Amino acid sequence: MTGTTTPASTTRPRFDRRTRRRIVIASLVGTTVEFYDFYAYASAAVAVFPYLFFPANEDHTVALLASFATFGLAFLGRPLGSVVFGHFGDRIGRKATLVASLLTMGIATFLIGVLPTYAMAGVLAPALLALMRFCQGLGLGGEWSGAALLATETAEKGKRAWAAMWPQLGAPFGFLAANGLFLILVSTLGHTNGETTGAFMTWGWRIPFLLSAVMVVIGLYVRFRLEETPVFTSAVQSGKKVNAPVAEVFRTSFRPLVLGTFIMVSCYTLFYLVTTWVLSYGIGSREKGLGLGISYTDFLKIQLISIFAFILGILLSGRLADSRGRRRTLSTVSLLMIGFGLAFPLFLSPDTATTGSTLAFLTIGMFIMGLIFGPMSAVLPELFPTNVRYTGSGIAYNLASILGAAIAPFVATALVAAFGVASVGVYLAVVSVISLIAIRCMHETRYVDMTEI
C-alpha cells in the first residue's frame, strides 16, 4: 500500500505571522506544562514513592514494581480522557477542550504535592496517589490530540509536520523543567536511596508538584487568548459535526485507528525505557545486581544532557517529514530503533558499563526518540477526517500508551531481573518491528486535505 495522495486544492485560511506565533506558543506552553506534570511523577516514582508510599515491602524490587504500577495507571486513564475530551473537542471545539484538559492535569498534580505518606495515612496514601495518577492520565489523554490539532489545522501548506513539531517540543521542555528541578532539590537538600529522612524526602519532593499550579496559570492565560481553529469552524458551518464522535470513529475510521495505535506503540516503548526504566536501572545497586550503581544526582545530570539530543531529533524530524514524507521518515527511524535495541548490552552491561557509556546510550536513544516522536502530531491527525479527528487521533495515541508506555518500565524491570539487560533491548526491537509493519501499511499522508470529512 504505497500510493501517494496528490495535493489538495482546497483553499486554506490564511494567518498572519502574529497569529501563527500565538498558536505555536499556545500549543508549546500547554504540552510543556502537561509533560512537566507527567515527568515529575515519573522521577518521583523511582526515587521517592517506593520509600514513602510503599514501604511495607521489604524487597526494593517489589516496592519499585508497585510504584511503577501506579505510574502505569495514568496510561489506563489516558484512553478514557481521549474519549471524554475528544467527544467535546469534536462537538464544541478545540479551544475549550484544551483548557479543560489542562485544568484536570494541573489540579491532580498539585494535589499529589499535598498527599499524606504511608507513615501518615497507611494504605489510604497509595490509594490517593493512584487516584491522582489516574486523573493525570485523564488530563493528558485530552491534551495531546488537542494541541496537535491546533497546530496541524492552522499550518501553512507544505509545512504541516514542521508546525505540528512545536507541541512535540513540550515533551523535552517538560522533561528539562521537571528533572532539572529535581536535580536542584536533591543537590541542595540531599538524597540517599533507601532513606526516608532528610529534607528532600521529608518535604522537598513536594515542591515540583506544588509549582505545577504556577505553570497551569501561565498555560491557561495563553490558551484563553486563542480563537477556534478554522477547520473546526468550517465543519460546524457546513453542518458536519457528529453527535457521537466515538461511535462514528469506530464506524468510519476503524482501520486508521488500529494503524495509528501500532504506528505509535514503539515510540512510547522507547521513550519510557530511556526515561523511567533506565533511571531505576541506572541508580540500582550494582553489587545486588539491580543496576549500574550510579548516584541519583549524577544520573539526573546525564539525563538532562541527553535531553538536548531529543530536542535536536524533534527539530530534524519536522523538516524530514515535510521533505521526505511521513511514511519514509518513520520507516527509516524504525530500522534505527531495531538496531539500537539490539545494541543495549554494548552500553548497559553491568560488567562493562560506565557513566560515559550510559550517557552515550541516553543520547542516542533520545535522538532516535526525537526522530520518531516529532512527526507523530502530524501523522495521527492526518489519518482521520475532521469531524472525528480529535477523538480518533486521541484514542490511537493513548491506546498506544497502554501497549507501549504503561507496561514498559514494569516489563523491563522484570526482564532485567530474570534475563539481564539484553532482553530489554530485544523487547524494544520486537515492538519496533510491529510499528514498522503498521507504518508500511499506511498511505503517505503528507498531502492529505485537513478539511476533508
Side-chain angles (χ1 to χ4, degrees):
M1 304 181 66
T2 59
T4 302
T5 311
T6 57
S9 60
T10 303
T11 301
R12 295 185 54 80
R14 298 183 64 87
F15 297 91
D16 57 32
R17 182 173 298 178
R18 181 179 179 183
T19 301
R20 290 191 185 282
R21 185 166 57 245
R22 183 179 296 176
I23 291 169
V24 164
I25 293 173
S27 61
L28 176 58
V29 169
T31 53
T32 299
V33 173
E34 298 275 8
F35 280 108
Y36 165 87
D37 291 351
F38 218 66
Y39 298 147
Y41 190 101
S43 294
V46 173
V48 177
F49 297 152
Y51 308 105
L52 297 185
F53 287 84
F54 305 97
N57 299 302
E58 296 181 1
D59 187 334
H60 174 66
T61 300
V62 174
L64 182 61
L65 289 173
S67 182
F68 279 158
T70 62
F71 174 79
L73 276 177
F75 297 99
L76 298 179
R78 284 170 70 159
L80 179 59
S82 66
V83 169
V84 173
F85 290 109
H87 173 85
F88 291 107
D90 285 325
R91 288 285 300 152
I92 66 174
R94 315 320 195 195
K95 175 184 173 179
T97 307
L98 278 169
V99 169
S101 66
L102 185 63
L103 276 173
T104 302
M105 183 81 171
I107 292 172
T109 304
F110 177 83
L111 290 177
I112 290 174
V114 297
L115 287 181
T117 63
Y118 187 90
M120 300 174 184
V123 295
L124 179 62
L128 290 174
L129 180 66
L131 177 61
M132 292 302 102
R133 180 60 176 167
F134 184 80
C135 291
Q136 277 191 319
L138 285 176
L140 192 55
E143 164 63 29
W144 179 86
S145 51
L149 266 57
L150 184 66
T152 56
E153 292 184 346
T154 57
E156 291 182 67
K157 183 179 179 180
K159 296 182 179 180
R160 198 156 58 213
W162 178 254
M165 172 273 301
W166 291 101
Q168 301 299 77
L169 283 175
F173 289 173
F175 189 94
L176 277 172
N179 280 31
L181 182 55
F182 265 90
L183 176 59
I184 292 171
L185 290 171
V186 299
S187 299
T188 304
L189 303 178
H191 174 267
T192 304
N193 289 339
E195 295 184 4
T196 57
T197 57
F200 176 78
M201 294 296 282
T202 303
W203 56 267
W205 68 270
R206 299 180 183 273
I207 294 175
F209 298 97
L210 298 177
L211 285 180
S212 173
V214 177
M215 299 184 69
V216 168
V217 170
I218 296 172
L220 289 175
Y221 170 76
V222 172
R223 287 191 169 174
F224 273 125
R225 301 179 67 202
L226 291 176
E227 296 179 1
E228 189 53 75
T229 71
V231 171
F232 177 79
T233 302
S234 176
V236 173
Q237 293 173 346
S238 60
K240 298 297 184 178
K241 286 197 307 180
V242 293
N243 293 323
V246 176
E248 184 72 8
V249 78
F250 278 95
R251 186 180 70 84
T252 64
S253 304
F254 184 74
R255 184 177 184 277
L257 193 65
V258 174
L259 282 180
T261 298
F262 286 102
I263 287 169
M264 187 73 195
V265 71
S266 64
C267 175
Y268 262 125
T269 303
L270 173 62
F271 188 59
Y272 282 91
L273 288 180
V274 297
T275 54
T276 304
W277 166 75
V278 79
L279 174 59
S280 66
Y281 180 74
I283 68 176
S285 171
R286 190 186 288 261
E287 291 75 19
K288 296 180 181 179
L290 299 176
L292 303 180
I294 301 172
S295 73
Y296 181 56
T297 302
D298 288 343
F299 202 91
L300 283 180
K301 290 177 181 177
I302 63 175
Q303 270 196 319
L304 289 173
I305 294 172
S306 69
I307 208 70
F308 291 98
F310 188 17
I311 295 172
L312 179 61
I314 291 176
L315 292 170
L316 179 59
S317 70
R319 295 297 189 192
L320 289 174
D322 276 333
S323 62
R324 294 165 54 90
R326 286 49 159 157
R327 193 167 176 266
R328 185 178 177 186
T329 300
L330 294 179
S331 296
T332 302
V333 180
S334 294
L335 293 174
L336 291 177
M337 289 174 62
I338 294 170
F340 178 65
L342 298 178
F344 268 38
L346 298 178
F347 301 99
L348 299 179
S349 173
D351 298 327
T352 59
T354 63
T355 301
S357 70
T358 306
L359 174 59
F361 169 83
L362 288 172
T363 302
I364 295 171
M366 285 293 188
F367 180 68
I368 296 174
M369 177 61 205
L371 292 177
I372 195 75
F373 184 64
M376 288 299 177
S377 55
V379 172
L380 294 189
E382 288 169 350
L383 291 174
F384 297 92
T386 302
N387 57 347
V388 294
R389 184 171 293 136
Y390 202 128
T391 302
S393 61
I395 291 177
Y397 182 84
N398 290 298
L399 283 178
S401 75
I402 295 180
L403 299 176
I407 65 172
F410 193 92
V411 170
T413 300
L415 284 174
V416 168
F419 305 107
V421 72
S423 62
V424 181
V426 173
Y427 166 52
L428 173 62
V430 170
V431 176
S432 299
V433 169
I434 294 172
S435 285
L436 179 59
I437 293 171
I439 291 165
R440 300 309 299 172
C441 289
M442 69 176 275
H443 290 291
E444 176 56 56
T445 59
R446 186 180 3 174
Y447 298 120
V448 165
D449 178 14
M450 296 297 281
T451 63
E452 181 185 353
I453 300 177

